[in-house]
């Protein structure tokens, strides 16, 4: 697509000088679009793909790397806010007793610095509904909430 700029001289309303109005409009619009691109990419915050692959593999070690210092955790009969070491132990125990067959993302979204995903975790023992809530903490994305609950499917 080629851009054609018609350059016409028109007098300025305030100072009566002539400017090449089409060229000025083109430059202004180009600048605004250039500045809008970083804003659009900054808002595309998503749950990291490493978290999804860790759930798919049942890799508690990789998943634990993304835990916040304190995590709201709902797994089995555990339902509380746990420190990172406590949450790591609970997640590790879960994956030891439930060998993962697959994980499928059903829905994901984001708003400002937070992102979430909902998925189905199929294990050797049962199917589970998984909810992950992450938030940007500085330059790192951390898991604030992890829910792994029995699925009705």
């Amino acid at each position: 697509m080629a851009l054609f700029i018609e350059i016409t001289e028109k007098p300025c309303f305030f100072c009566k000088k002539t400017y090449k109005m089409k060229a000025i409009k083109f430059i202004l619009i180009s600048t605004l679009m250039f500045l809008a691109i970083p804003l659009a990419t900054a808002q595309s915050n998503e749950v990291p793909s490493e978290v999804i692959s860790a759930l798919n593999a049942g890799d508690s070690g990789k998943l634990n790397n993304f835990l916040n210092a304190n995590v709201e955790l709902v797994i089995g009969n555990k339902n509380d806010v746990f420190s990172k070491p406590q949450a790591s132990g609970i997640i590790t125990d879960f994956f030891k007793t439930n060998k993962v067959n697959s994980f499928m993302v059903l829905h994901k979204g984001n708003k400002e610095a937070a992102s979430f995903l909902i998925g189905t975790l199929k294990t050797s023992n049962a199917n589970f509904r998984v909810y992950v809530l992450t938030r940007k903490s500085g330059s790192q994305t951390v898991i604030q909430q992890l829910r792994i609950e029995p699925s009705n499917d």
Side-chain angles (χ1 to χ4, degrees):
M1 179 172 117
L3 292 175
F4 296 101
I5 303 171
E6 178 186 333
I7 299 176
T8 58
E9 293 187 8
K10 294 185 179 182
C12 175
F13 179 76
F14 296 107
C15 62
K16 305 297 183 203
K17 292 182 182 178
T18 59
Y19 291 98
K20 297 176 174 136
M21 297 303 282
K22 295 276 184 175
I24 292 172
K25 286 180 186 176
F26 175 77
I27 292 169
L28 181 62
I29 290 171
S30 298
T31 304
L32 290 174
M33 288 176 54
F34 180 75
L35 294 174
I37 291 171
L39 292 175
T41 57
Q43 293 177 359
S44 66
N45 176 35
E46 290 188 358
V47 174
S49 60
E50 294 90 347
V51 171
I52 297 169
S53 63
L55 287 166
N56 193 42
D59 189 340
S60 60
K62 284 185 183 176
L63 194 60
N64 293 340
N65 290 335
F66 287 92
L67 296 178
N68 195 16
N70 292 302
V71 184
E72 184 179 340
L73 198 61
V74 177
I75 298 179
N77 61 354
K78 309 279 197 258
N79 183 355
D80 206 346
V81 176
F82 296 97
S83 68
K84 185 174 181 172
Q86 291 172 318
S88 295
I90 294 168
I91 293 167
T92 301
D93 289 345
F94 173 82
F95 284 122
K96 280 183 182 175
T97 58
N98 296 283
K99 301 296 180 200
V100 175
N101 295 332
S102 67
F103 176 71
M104 183 174 63
V105 176
L106 301 174
H107 184 69
K108 61 183 175 177
N110 56 52
K111 184 174 182 180
E112 296 172 7
S115 58
F116 72 94
L117 73 77
I118 299 169
T120 301
L121 183 71
K122 295 185 178 187
T123 71
S124 56
N125 296 332
N127 294 339
F128 297 90
R129 175 66 63 123
V130 177
Y131 175 79
V132 180
L133 175 66
T134 64
R135 183 168 296 281
K136 279 281 198 188
S137 177
S139 63
Q140 186 180 10
T141 300
V142 293
I143 297 173
Q144 278 198 313
Q145 184 182 76
L146 176 64
R147 302 175 74 91
I148 304 176
E149 300 171 308
S151 177
N152 296 332
D153 298 339

